[in-house]
Amino acid sequence: MQIHTHLSYFPHQADGREITVTAKQRHITHVIYDMDGVLLDTEPFYTEVTQQIVQQHGKTFTWALKSQMMGRKPLDAAKILVDALELPITAEEYLISREPLLDALFLTAQPLQGAQTLTRHLHQQGIPQAVATSTPHAKFLLKTHAHQTWFTVFNTIITGDNIAVKQGKPAPDIFLAAANALQADPAHCLVFEDALVGVEAAKAAGMHVVAIPALALDKTLFATADAVLNQMGEFRPELWGLPAF
């Protein structure tokens, strides 16, 4: 494993149930994954810790605000939080205050439903895969500490502090860096994302993208994605030209 440090949209019925729309078959040769909220169930950690911090200043951390922060580099997300809630601290001070709380939680991170099954299956079938996460390399090591064997299925890992990532999501830098490391044509790459900015970044990179938003998010916001799923276990590889289970 090389570590670099520096279905069409589903509309909803009136009762909220999803109408499944079969995606056209696409010739996908490489698969790229965001990590938080896609492979590992770490997003609740950020919510919990951020709420603890903003409550000290009489503020409330909402999903509407969180959706603007998800997928971005830590400092970019912190600036959005501090500005939106008018916190009497800097973005840098917020990041420092949350660090020990998050680090302890990161070590307990668990895989999300379907993530290991799909990634191991594609690995066994010889499909090159990459992780492209805004997480800095040091935090990546904490989050994956208990899953080192699993993460060997990925051919390359691009973290947010990779030298090739000049701009964070929604810029396409991180996904283009992953495609370059995989020696892949972006047009034949499929990205899994849970964040709006991640979907934008994948599209800007010229890639296909499957969105797996948190249940609290409005799926209609992800209409630009090629597919919107509730969890990775719903993914059907054969619809994308990938080997079926």
Side-chain angles (χ1 to χ4, degrees), residues 195-213:
L196 288 169
V197 294
V199 171
E200 292 176 25
K203 283 298 182 179
M207 301 177 181
H208 299 287
V209 57
V210 171
I212 311 178

Side-chain angles (χ1 to χ4, degrees), residues 48-61 85-89 93-94 96-98 100-101:
E48 176 185 339
V49 168
T50 300
Q51 185 59 37
Q52 287 181 33
I53 294 172
V54 302
Q55 278 182 338
Q56 297 171 12
H57 303 288
K59 306 290 184 176
T60 301
F61 185 51
L85 297 183
E86 300 180 336
L87 298 177
I89 57 175
E93 288 170 337
Y94 159 74
I96 291 171
S97 65
R98 77 174 190 171
L101 301 172

Side-chain angles (χ1 to χ4, degrees), residues 7-13 16-24 26 196 199 203 208-213 217-230 234 239-240:
L7 327 164
S8 19
Y9 171 59
F10 289 178
H12 286 69
Q13 297 178 352
R17 292 184 295 109
E18 289 177 333
I19 305 170
T20 301
V21 180
T22 303
K24 295 179 181 179
R26 299 166 174 87
L196 288 169
V199 171
K203 283 298 182 179
H208 299 287
V209 57
V210 171
I212 311 178
L217 291 177
D218 180 0
K219 287 184 175 61
T220 62
L221 298 174
F222 292 81
T224 58
D226 296 282
V228 179
L229 308 179
N230 291 309
E234 297 175 349
L239 295 178
W240 302 81

